[in-house]
């Protein structure tokens, strides 16, 4: 009978208490908050990188665009 009695006591100890559940819930909320902050920070970095790459692309394409516009100004428009 002793082993059965011990099993019952271990089952009682394994169930989370109100304090344990509150700590677990608090830890979950902190984890979610931290993950959310990390996502926002990563989004900011990625947006800045995308903007830099776009500006570099525009600078690279600008001389070609200016040449095309000046070429179009030299040729008369085509009549349809």
């Amino acid at each position: 009978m002793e082993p059965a009695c011990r099993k019952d006591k271990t089952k009682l100890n394994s169930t989370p208490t109100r304090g344990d559940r509150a700590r677990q819930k608090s830890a979950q909320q902190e984890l979610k908050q931290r993950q959310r902050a990390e996502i926002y920070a990563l989004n900011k970095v990625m947006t800045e990188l995308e903007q830099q790459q776009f500006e570099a692309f525009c600078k690279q394409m600008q001389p070609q665009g200016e040449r095309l516009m000046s070429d179009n100004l030299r040729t008369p428009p085509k009549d349809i």
Side-chain angles (χ1 to χ4, degrees):
M1 283 272 173
E2 291 278 333
C5 186
R6 286 184 184 164
K7 284 183 183 177
D8 291 339
K9 287 182 182 179
T10 57
K11 284 183 183 178
L12 289 175
N13 289 338
S14 67
T15 59
T17 62
R18 203 177 294 169
D20 290 339
R21 281 183 260 157
R23 273 186 250 118
Q24 191 176 24
K25 186 175 180 180
S26 176
Q28 281 287 338
Q29 287 176 336
E30 287 176 18
L31 177 64
K32 282 184 182 181
Q33 217 172 13
R34 192 178 110 237
Q35 287 175 336
R36 186 179 177 107
E38 288 174 1
I39 289 169
Y40 277 108
L42 180 60
N43 189 29
K44 182 180 177 183
V45 169
M46 294 300 289
T47 301
E48 290 171 356
L49 177 62
E50 184 180 12
Q51 184 64 33
Q52 289 173 0
Q53 289 176 342
F54 178 71
E55 288 171 2
F57 173 77
C58 288
K59 284 180 183 178
Q60 184 182 22
M61 297 304 288
Q62 194 170 9
Q64 289 179 352
E66 288 176 0
R67 273 187 265 137
L68 290 175
M69 286 181 66
S70 63
D71 289 343
N72 287 339
L73 293 174
R74 289 186 198 150
T75 58
K78 295 180 182 179
D79 293 329
I80 298 178

